[in-house]
């Protein structure tokens, strides 16, 4: 902090050496940046860090009780791994980086959409397995005229909506925030209408107590049996067992998933063997590689500088007295 010891930034996650180097180079040289995986070494550094950027760990009371110098918990877009009320009790700011990965996630949604309806995984396998093209038999279709239902109309949801309009799709949206506004190209509707009338249902809400298992057996039963379900938000928003059953029973046509209830996705997950499912390993928000997102780290640095200067962080999730 100003006039005292240099800022110590603790980044917790699973990173390869190249990613560690790229991340460290982002930060001002006068700051001490430590990148470690979850475990004993992490606990040692938590004792004197000023800022923690957590991946794959829970920021809870037991951890916060040993973080004597912590001033800021800075997350990416999601913050379901942070006990925000307890951070507030300890006088620690919590902020996320909502919106910084909107372009990347929205592009990923479109890539999944096109891959599914153009049957790209099958066709790629067909060609690489050197199969007889005279025997080619597959199903595909166009996006034009299809209705996509977007659950959550934040930065990502709005970007997805804009992309879909370019493909001449009809766009419905449902938002829990009554103040959420459409620009006129999106038709706002209620949850049940959206899931029962859409050809595609795409999830773009945060994971919290209200949204946990929002998409469950009852929701899948209301969807058309031709519906494609897409989740690039958080795995816990969906009851994964119910999703697998819906796929196996033909309640929905298919799914494109970037996030899962347990991550990494277990090797023995049934999802890995389903031909009507396209999977990616929680990479939708990573435009510059698996573990490095420069725009996000630039946002982190600006926020940390605000804390260093005694200011409130941008995109704060709590309010300190």
């Amino acid at each position: 902090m100003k006039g005292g010891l240099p800022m110590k930034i603790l980044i917790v996650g699973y990173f390869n050496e190249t990613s560690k180097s790229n991340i460290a180079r982002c930060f001002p040289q006068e700051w001490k940046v430590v990148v470690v995986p979850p475990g004993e070494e992490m606990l040692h550094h938590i004792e004197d860090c000023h800022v923690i950027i957590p991946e794959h760990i829970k920021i809870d009371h037991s951890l916060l009780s040993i973080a004597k110098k912590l001033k800021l918990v800075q997350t990416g877009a999601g913050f379901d791994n942070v006990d925000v009320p307890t951070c507030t009790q300890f006088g620690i700011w919590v902020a996320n980086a909502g919106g910084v990965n909107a372009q990347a996630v929205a592009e990923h949604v479109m890539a999944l959409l096109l891959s599914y309806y153009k049957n790209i995984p099958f066709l790629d396998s067909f060609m690489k397995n050197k199969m007889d093209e005279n025997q080619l038999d597959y199903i595909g279709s166009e996006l034009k005229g299809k209705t996509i239902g977007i659950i959550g109309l934040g930065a990502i949801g709005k970007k997805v909506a804009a992309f879909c309009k370019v493909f001449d799709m009809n766009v419905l949206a449902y938002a829990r925030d009554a103040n959420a506004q459409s620009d006129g190209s999106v038709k706002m509707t209620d949850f049940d209408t959206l899931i029962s009338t859409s050809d595609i249902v795409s999830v773009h809400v945060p994971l919290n107590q209200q949204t946990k298992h929002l998409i469950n057996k009852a929701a899948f039963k209301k969807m058309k049996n031709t519906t494609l379900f897409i989740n690039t938000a958080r795995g816990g928003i969906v009851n994964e067992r119910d999703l697998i059953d819906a796929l196996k029973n033909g309640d929905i046509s298919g799914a494109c998933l970037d996030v899962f209830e347990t991550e990494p996705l277990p090797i023995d997950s049934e999802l890995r063997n389903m031909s009507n499912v396209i999977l990616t390993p929680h990479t939708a928000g990573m435009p510059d590689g698996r573990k490095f997102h420069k725009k996000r780290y630039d946002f982190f640095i600006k926020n940390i500088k605000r804390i260093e200067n005694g200011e409130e962080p941008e995109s704060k999730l709590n309010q300190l007295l």
Side-chain angles (χ1 to χ4, degrees), residues 7 16 19 21 28 44 48-49 73 78-79 108 124 132 143 151 168 222 225 287 297 311 318:
M7 291 284 284
N16 60 35
S19 296
S21 178
H44 171 73
D48 64 346
C49 72
V73 177
F79 52 90
H108 199 88
D124 179 66
D132 181 0
L143 296 184
I151 300 174
D168 293 327
K222 292 176 183 177
N225 60 12
Y297 281 98
E311 302 172 17
N318 61 346

Side-chain angles (χ1 to χ4, degrees), residues 280-312:
T280 54
H282 203 152
T283 52
M286 297 291 167
D288 303 316
R290 177 66 183 95
K291 285 293 182 183
F292 184 62
H293 186 338
K294 188 175 186 302
K295 184 187 292 186
R296 184 167 66 167
Y297 281 98
D298 286 345
F299 180 90
F300 291 170
I301 290 166
K302 289 179 182 178
N303 245 7
I304 294 168
K305 286 181 177 179
R306 292 178 69 88
I307 295 298
E308 189 178 32
N309 293 329
E311 302 172 17
E312 295 184 351

Side-chain angles (χ1 to χ4, degrees), residues 174-205:
Y174 163 74
R176 296 179 66 89
D177 180 3
N179 297 317
Q181 296 292 321
S182 160
D183 62 4
S185 64
V186 178
K187 181 180 178 182
M188 302 300 295
T189 188
D190 61 89
F191 180 78
D192 282 352
T193 299
L194 182 145
I195 62 174
S196 63
T197 60
S198 298
D199 300 302
I200 302 133
V201 174
S202 190
V203 177
H204 301 288
V205 291

Side-chain angles (χ1 to χ4, degrees), residues 202-214:
S202 190
V203 177
H204 301 288
V205 291
L207 174 60
N208 53 41
Q209 289 184 337
Q210 289 72 43
T211 62
K212 183 173 176 59
H213 286 181
L214 174 68

Side-chain angles (χ1 to χ4, degrees), residues 61 65 83 152 215 231 241 277 305:
H61 188 280
S65 64
D83 184 340
I215 308 298
N231 189 11
R241 183 65 256 171
V277 176
K305 286 181 177 179

Side-chain angles (χ1 to χ4, degrees), residues 77 101-102 104-110 112-113 148-161 163-164 171-176 191 194 200-207 211 214-215 229-234 237-238 256 258-259 284:
N101 64 350
V105 176
E107 287 183 5
H108 199 88
V109 170
M110 299 311 296
L112 292 172
L113 263 177
I148 183 168
I150 298 172
I151 300 174
L153 201 60
I156 297 171
K158 287 178 180 177
K159 184 73 72 171
V160 171
F163 286 169
C164 288
V171 183
L172 301 178
Y174 163 74
R176 296 179 66 89
F191 180 78
L194 182 145
I200 302 133
V201 174
S202 190
V203 177
H204 301 288
V205 291
L207 174 60
T211 62
L214 174 68
I215 308 298
F229 176 73
I230 301 175
N231 189 11
T232 54
R234 284 292 184 270
I237 297 166
V238 183
C256 296
D258 184 59
V259 290

Side-chain angles (χ1 to χ4, degrees), residues 217 221 225 242-252 274:
K217 181 178 180 179
K221 287 292 185 183
N225 60 12
D242 290 352
L243 169 60
I244 291 170
D245 289 343
L247 289 163
K248 292 168 70 174
N249 298 336
D251 294 331
I252 61 173
M274 292 185 163

